[in-house]
């Protein structure tokens, strides 16, 4: 295995709109990130992934790009980017940008040209199709559904045809079959790398190819069934990525992490990102994101983690990538509910938060923390649909309401539990007004728990969740265990144990035993196979071991250095 710089890094994901507002307009900005770089360095991260800040009409908070090489006014200027890059370099922090290459905004000059006439030179930059006639009525070319609800096609009257858009109407999909599009995207990537950034998180990368335009199967009478297979992980995506790798990634020592969506199996993940795939450095998968009963409940207190399912996923990815590839390690991102509200415990926030951090950070791969995770931020207590900002949360509410029109409260609760607005509320810096995020009214509601949960409070308490994250990062990067934590083998244990997620990390001459209890009750764990050498990190002051039996307190988590008894 050739070692790469990102294998030894710890990443942090920034959603710029909600991170820190430096100019008091209520919107986070680049200069805000600049001002908080020292904070990130103190935490110990040395890699930041910044979600899109490009010029955009903000239909999807920046994932609808109008100009790939300009900054949206509310976020700052290209000068601010430069300043950020320079200061980050001084602090040893690498910067990875979000590269949105599946679609643009409908306000991008390419699309404005493309839709203007059928023979415009930019026509083939996007995917256009004539409508179908059914009973004398013109309808979409296929019945495919889109991720944000409704059809995957939108009608445009200028040329009386439909364009494909698997996200919102304002996000037309690029036609990657067109070599000119490929070249444009190669140029954009190179331009940013030459500008000084260190790589990309590549948005929606598994969707760059489309299946034949044949209707999807209809289940549940849905007008527009969402069938991922129609536009996910199709063969040509690999050709495009090999091209990007050859023309761009391989020419720079840059990191390329693809977002491969829920439909990508491990085998597909390996195709994208094994060491010899010549495509991507790693892929973010989502298999571990929904291992609970989220779909069955409306009351967040009734959420229960399915530990067996969760570790099955972790184990499978860890084992499949052993020796042949590298993985990012992240719990959740800006598209999922907050970690504390998904897998943590409101009764034991500190203990469960620390346990979840340890469980993830001790695996083999590059950890990524999502902003606010390090202080245990939680979901927002939505009380009304008007509080949703996110386009897909609004459409999810509509979807649930259509199913049960008499129960708007239930529709709201269902949409709220999964809403992408949860992770996008402003970062809680302090107990000051607006959580110290801004002095003006923020663009998005601040979570009312900010006086209890904020950075300032975490920093002032040595026993806080924040300090636990800092310790985990320090252990990984600067300790006698670093080599084992980064490169050691991962060995799963106790597959059928429904309370504990346990595994070994085996280094050259060290073995670490990682034990994480997901239970809110006392549990016990048999240690008779090991000689315990020492405790490396834990979330309770004292461990209770008697006659080789470890009695674990709620959400207890311990990393032991052990020797295996023969
Ligand atoms: C994935 C991004 O993470 C999400 O926020 C966005 O809405 C879609 N891709 C479309 O760009």
């Amino acid at each position: 295995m050739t070692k790469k710089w990102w294998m030894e890094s710890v990443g942090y994901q920034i959603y710029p709109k909600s991170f820190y507002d430096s100019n008091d307009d209520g919107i986070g900005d680049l200069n805000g990130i600049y001002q908080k770089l020292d904070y990130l360095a103190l935490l110990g991260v040395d890699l930041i992934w910044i979600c899109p800040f490009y010029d955009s009409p903000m239909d999807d908070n920046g994932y609808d790009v109008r100009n790939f090489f300009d900054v949206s006014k509310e976020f700052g200027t290209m000068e601010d980017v430069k300043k950020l890059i320079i200061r980050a370099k001084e602090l040893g922090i690498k910067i990875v940008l979000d590269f949105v290459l599946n679609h643009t905004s409908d306000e991008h000059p390419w699309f404005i040209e493309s839709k203007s006439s059928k023979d415009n030179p930019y026509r083939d930059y996007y995917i256009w199709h004539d409508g179908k006639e059914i009973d004398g009525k013109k309808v979409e070319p296929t019945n495919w559904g889109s991720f944000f609800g409704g059809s995957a096609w939108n009608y445009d009257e200028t040329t009386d045809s439909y364009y494909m858009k698997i996200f919102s109407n304002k996000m037309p999909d690029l036609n990657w079959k067109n070599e000119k599009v490929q070249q444009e995207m190669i140029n954009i990537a190179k331009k940013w790398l030459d500008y000084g950034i260190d790589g990309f998180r590549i948005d929606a990368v598994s969707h760059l190819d489309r299946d034949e335009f044949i209707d999807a199967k209809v289940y549940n009478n849905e007008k527009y069934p969402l069938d991922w297979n129609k536009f996910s992980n199709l063969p040509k995506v690999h050709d495009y990525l090999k091209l990007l790798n050859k023309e761009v990634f391989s020419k720079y020592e840059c990191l390329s992490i693809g977002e491969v969506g829920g439909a990508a199996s491990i085998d597909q993940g390996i195709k994208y990102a094994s060491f010899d795939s010549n495509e991507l450095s790693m892929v973010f998968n989502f298999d571990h994101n929904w291992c609970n009963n989220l779909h069955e409940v409306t009351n967040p207190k009734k959420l229960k983690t399915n530990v067996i399912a969760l570790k099955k996923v972790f184990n499978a990815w860890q084992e499949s990538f052993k020796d042949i590839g590298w993985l990012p390690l992240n719990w959740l991102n800006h598209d999922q509910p907050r970690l504390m509200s998904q897998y943590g415990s409101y009764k034991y926030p500190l203990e469960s938060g620390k346990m979840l951090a340890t469980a993830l950070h001790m695996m083999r791969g590059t950890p990524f923390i999502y902003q606010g995770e390090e202080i245990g931020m939680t979901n927002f207590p939505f009380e009304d649909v008007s509080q949703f900002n996110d386009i897909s949360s609004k459409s999810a509410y509509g979807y649930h309401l259509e199913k049960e029109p008499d129960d708007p409260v239930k529709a709201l609760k269902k949409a709220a539990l999964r809403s992408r607005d949860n992770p996008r509320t402003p970062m809680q810096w302090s107990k000051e007004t607006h959580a110290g995020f801004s002095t003006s009214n923020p663009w998005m509601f601040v979570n009312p728990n900010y006086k209890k949960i904020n950075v300032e409070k975490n920093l002032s308490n040595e026993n806080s969740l924040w300090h636990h994250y800092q310790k985990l990062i320090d252990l990984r990067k600067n300790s006698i265990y670093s080599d084992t934590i980064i490169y050691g083998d991962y060995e799963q244990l106790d597959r059928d144990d429904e309370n504990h997620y346990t595994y070994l990390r085996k280094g050259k001459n060290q073995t670490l035993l990682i034990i994480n209890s997901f239970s809110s009750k006392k549990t016990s764990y048999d240690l008779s196979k090991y000689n315990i050498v020492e405790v490396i990190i834990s979330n309770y002051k004292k461990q209770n071991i008697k006659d080789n039996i470890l009695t674990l307190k709620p959400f207890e988590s311990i990393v032991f250095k052990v020797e295996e008894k023969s």
Side-chain angles (χ1 to χ4, degrees):
M1 183 186 86
T2 315
K3 291 186 178 174
K4 300 283 187 187
W5 61 262
W6 53 83
M7 296 177 176
E8 300 184 7
S9 298
V10 176
Y12 188 96
Q13 185 195 344
I14 295 178
Y15 197 71
K17 217 170 170 180
S18 308
F19 191 58
Y20 185 59
D21 173 19
S22 73
N23 64 348
D24 303 326
D25 62 356
I27 301 173
D29 46 46
L30 290 171
N31 199 33
I33 302 177
Y34 175 89
Q35 290 183 15
K36 294 294 181 186
L37 280 176
D38 287 328
Y39 164 80
L40 297 171
L42 184 67
L43 181 59
V45 302
D46 53 6
L47 166 63
I48 51 177
W49 151 26
I50 312 179
C51 286
F53 51 72
Y54 316 106
D55 174 42
S56 160
M58 297 286 161
D59 190 50
D60 186 20
N61 282 333
Y63 280 93
D64 44 325
V65 181
R66 185 163 46 199
N67 181 345
F68 288 98
F69 220 73
D70 199 3
V71 175
S72 215
K73 272 196 217 68
E74 55 262 65
F75 291 142
T77 62
M78 284 300 282
E79 267 315 296
D80 293 336
V81 185
K82 191 94 237 172
K83 214 172 93 184
L84 186 64
I85 294 174
I86 293 171
R87 179 69 186 137
K89 277 204 198 331
E90 283 167 8
L91 291 168
I93 296 177
K94 306 241 192 231
I95 298 185
V96 166
L97 298 192
D98 225 303
F99 188 19
V100 189
L101 42 56
N102 173 72
H103 45 267
T104 67
S105 159
D106 64 342
E107 296 180 28
H108 193 288
W110 299 339
F111 189 73
I112 294 171
E113 289 290 331
S114 182
K115 73 175 193 178
S116 66
S117 73
K118 285 193 172 171
D119 53 10
N120 185 284
Y122 286 90
R123 185 68 173 178
D124 284 342
Y125 269 46
Y126 296 86
I127 305 169
W128 291 96
H129 208 288
D130 289 336
K132 235 174 15 191
E133 288 247 336
I134 295 184
D135 301 333
K137 216 181 127 207
K138 188 163 282 171
V139 297
E140 296 85 2
T142 66
N143 67 349
W144 301 0
S146 77
F147 290 118
F148 291 170
S151 170
W153 298 95
N154 196 38
Y155 179 70
D156 189 70
E157 58 185 19
T158 322
T159 55
D160 184 28
S161 30
Y162 290 82
Y163 62 88
M164 170 146 283
K165 48 94 208 174
I166 58 174
F167 293 97
S168 85
N169 286 350
K170 282 186 69 61
M171 297 157 85
D173 290 347
L174 284 161
N175 174 18
W176 269 81
K177 289 202 172 71
N178 182 347
E179 286 177 13
K180 285 190 195 146
V181 169
Q182 299 170 11
Q183 197 51 52
E184 298 270 16
M185 298 324 268
I186 288 172
N187 294 345
I188 290 166
K190 279 186 167 167
K191 214 167 156 189
W192 272 112
L193 288 163
D194 291 337
Y195 205 70
I197 61 128
D198 303 287
F200 301 103
R201 175 268 189 182
I202 309 174
D203 185 62
V205 75
S206 54
H207 306 308
L208 304 183
D209 190 15
R210 308 279 178 270
D211 203 357
E212 276 178 66
F213 294 140
I214 297 171
D215 275 357
K217 274 213 180 95
V218 179
Y219 303 93
N220 308 326
N221 275 330
E222 258 155 317
K223 187 169 175 200
Y224 301 116
L226 173 58
D227 179 354
W228 289 63
N229 297 316
K230 298 290 185 193
F231 37 75
S232 302
N233 308 304
L234 292 164
K236 281 222 163 54
V237 179
H238 296 285
D239 299 342
Y240 304 144
L241 289 179
K242 286 200 165 55
L243 178 74
L244 279 173
N245 185 294
K246 181 164 158 265
E247 297 297 324
V248 187
F249 308 148
S250 63
K251 297 201 167 142
Y252 299 76
E253 250 311 274
C254 78
L255 169 60
S256 54
I257 319 182
E259 185 213 31
V260 296
S265 64
I266 294 184
D267 287 347
Q268 281 155 347
I270 291 171
K271 263 179 117 181
Y272 285 117
S274 67
F275 292 137
D276 55 12
S277 71
N278 292 323
E279 295 185 20
L280 300 167
S281 327
M282 317 181 218
V283 285
F284 278 119
N285 82 84
F286 297 88
D287 291 358
H288 58 280
N289 287 179
W290 313 105
C291 293
N292 56 13
N293 53 349
L294 188 78
H295 295 282
E296 291 136 41
V297 299
T298 44
N299 180 351
K301 289 199 179 122
K302 297 243 162 79
L303 275 177
K304 185 153 173 40
T305 308
N306 182 338
V307 181
I308 300 224
L310 183 64
K311 62 192 191 181
K312 198 168 160 195
V313 170
F314 280 142
N315 288 335
W317 281 85
Q318 286 281 315
E319 286 181 355
S320 308
F321 273 71
K322 177 180 187 306
D323 303 328
I324 63 161
W326 198 256
L327 290 171
L329 306 171
N330 75 319
W331 271 116
L332 299 157
N333 66 19
H334 64 293
D335 293 331
Q336 284 102 31
R338 282 276 174 193
L339 174 59
M340 187 51 67
S341 309
Q342 179 80 336
Y343 292 137
S345 155
Y346 284 123
K347 191 164 168 206
Y348 296 99
L350 186 62
E351 294 78 5
S352 63
K354 289 183 178 180
M355 182 280 288
L356 291 166
T358 303
L360 192 89
H361 281 242
M362 295 306 289
M363 283 191 244
R364 177 178 173 274
T366 303
F368 279 83
I369 299 161
Y370 178 67
Q371 69 183 39
E373 179 187 319
E374 75 276 24
I375 54 166
M377 281 177 64
T378 63
N379 280 358
F380 184 82
F382 290 100
E383 281 170 353
D384 193 90
V385 61
S386 65
Q387 291 172 316
F388 286 141
N389 168 278
D390 166 42
I391 182 166
S392 75
S393 306
K394 289 178 191 165
S395 90
Y397 172 77
Y399 173 84
H400 294 305
L401 195 61
E402 204 178 298
K403 298 240 137 165
E404 288 180 78
D406 299 334
D407 205 342
V409 175
K410 192 165 169 197
L412 176 77
K413 283 186 175 164
K414 281 202 153 183
L417 264 186
R418 284 186 71 140
S419 170
R420 305 197 307 175
D421 283 322
N422 287 308
R424 301 176 183 185
T425 60
M427 180 77 179
Q428 294 163 209
W429 292 103
S430 70
K431 60 176 183 331
E432 302 302 312
T433 322
H434 309 311
F437 162 75
S438 172
T439 52
S440 305
N441 246 344
W443 70 280
M444 175 76 193
F445 301 98
V446 172
N447 195 309
N449 63 16
Y450 71 94
K451 288 197 176 145
K452 220 169 85 196
I453 301 174
N454 60 59
V455 170
E456 194 177 61
K457 199 165 166 199
N458 266 261
L459 290 180
S460 67
N461 172 4
E462 289 248 313
N463 185 37
S464 70
L465 181 58
W466 189 93
H467 279 97
H468 189 78
Y469 270 90
Q470 192 194 40
K471 271 183 219 149
L472 282 168
I473 298 172
D474 194 47
L475 263 181
R476 172 174 277 266
K477 288 173 57 180
N478 310 311
S479 77
I480 48 166
Y481 305 106
S482 297
D483 200 66
T484 305
I485 297 173
I486 298 170
Y487 295 112
D489 285 341
Y490 168 99
E491 198 180 300
Q492 69 161 303
L493 300 169
D494 311 307
R495 207 180 289 250
D496 301 321
D497 178 336
E498 49 184 45
N499 288 321
H500 307 123
Y501 175 34
T502 47
Y503 54 91
L504 294 174
R505 296 297 309 281
K506 293 188 170 173
K508 288 189 195 102
N509 42 28
Q510 275 173 352
T511 299
L512 306 181
L513 168 64
I514 294 95
I515 304 177
N516 302 290
S517 169
F518 277 76
S519 174
S520 55
K521 310 223 162 62
K522 259 195 192 168
T523 57
S524 61
Y525 189 79
D526 184 358
L527 289 171
S528 51
K529 284 195 225 138
Y530 311 98
N531 289 321
I532 303 296
V533 182
E534 62 175 327
V535 174
I536 293 171
I537 189 165
S538 62
N539 59 351
Y540 282 90
K541 285 218 175 73
K542 276 196 190 145
Q543 286 71 47
N544 182 351
I545 306 175
K546 213 169 154 202
D547 301 332
N548 283 326
I549 298 295
L550 167 70
T551 304
L552 292 132
K553 293 172 272 305
F555 299 98
E556 185 157 359
S557 153
I558 314 169
V559 180
F560 288 116
K561 180 180 178 189
V562 297
E563 285 160 4
E564 288 180 276
K565 290 182 188 163
S566 42

